[in-house]
Amino acid sequence: MSIGTTIEAGGVDLLSWSFVQDPYATYEKLREEGAVRRHVVKTLATELHAWVVTDYENGRALLADPRLSKDAVNLPAVVTSQSVDPDFQATEQPRSMLFSDPPEHTRLRKLIGKAFTMRRVQKMRPWIEQTTDALLERIVPGEEFDLVDDIALALPIYVIGNLLGVPEERFEDFKTWSGALASVDISAEEKQKALGQAFAYLGQLVAEKRANPGEDMVSALIEADDDGVKLTDTELMSTIFLVMNAGYETTANMISSGVLALLEHPGQEALLRADPSLIPGAVEEFLRYESPLNLSTIRYTTSPVEVGDVTIPEGEIVFIALMSGNRDPEKYADPNRLDVTRPSAHSHLSFGHGVHHCLGAPLARLEGEIIFTKLLERFPDWRLTVEPAALEWRYTAQFRGLEKLPVRMA
């Protein structure tokens, strides 16, 4: 189940338009009132009684706590039991690595890990660099352009398409389907249409790779074998679908919010220009400073869980506010300040923690390192062409990113 548009607590609408534009004051207030609290959470499907964890220490611990389950088999019953609507019936979540627990999760992650290796990611570096150069060459120095649409949304979908072995002429279809499935502004019918189109194409892609395997990840997933055990057709399709969606919005948001952070902090931009070796650490700080994910995906307790002076009962839904934990002053000194030299930035929660730590984190980091290196090398002068207050943030499923970022580079 995706997180929808509203969390209500004490009359405060945490995922309203106003919250999405500036969530940090609200999260600061919630941390002060009690970092582990039960709220009414409105998802795309229904309102739920759920616990929202807003501090770093408890959030990180719960992300790795085996008593918090993500297993799709029992999830519908828990969601149904916690719905405010007594007539609501939750539908089954598609089985995937994202919605499974050990030992099933361990088996799937091991098989998928054989295809999504660090070596495969590093082999993509020259291609990503070439693609980034091609995108940046479209920018006319001195003319305004939208960095979100022209760069931030374009690069990740091209990278994912290349990773999966998708022909370049279908990259825009991937962008359309991913955008529709993440959006909270389109109808259920439109989402279902996009889902059907995506799975129909992915089915064709798998058939093509079975007949003519290549060096891509789909071919590697088909061939992945652990003592004679391979991914089932359903697991294969779910994994490809997960890769298609998980690395798109998150990476796009990291790029656009990172550029905005530097535009608003010219001293930090100057540091990176003077010492490009700081860029990998700066990417970690961008991920901490403006987490691409607001909330974790859904979890539920399989036994009572003590969190400080609070006990979350069995059968309760839990969300970890990643964005809030990343700005927790108990973890980070002066957390609302961007600091590209911050030594603790790598400990952020934006990729999760524990067995569900994002498998695609190395690829996202590589994309960030390449795009910021090349932007700083190619364009010595950056300008935001509107006042920062005029910018708007969008909320798509649990992702938070800029609608547009009009800039001029020279």
Side-chain angles (χ1 to χ4, degrees), residues 1-5 15 42-44 184 295-296 319 395 397-398:
M1 174 173 290
S2 296
I3 303 303
T5 57
L15 295 180
K42 184 177 179 183
T43 72
L44 294 177
V184 297
L295 299 172
S296 66
F319 294 115
Y395 181 71
Q398 70 261 39

Side-chain angles (χ1 to χ4, degrees), residues 228-261:
V229 178
K230 301 170 75 72
L231 293 170
T232 67
D233 289 346
T234 300
E235 292 166 349
L236 179 62
M237 290 288 287
S238 295
T239 299
I240 298 169
F241 186 74
L242 178 62
V243 171
M244 184 183 87
N245 286 283
Y248 174 48
E249 286 276 351
T250 49
T251 307
N253 294 347
M254 173 191 70
I255 294 169
S256 58
S257 64
V259 170
L260 176 61

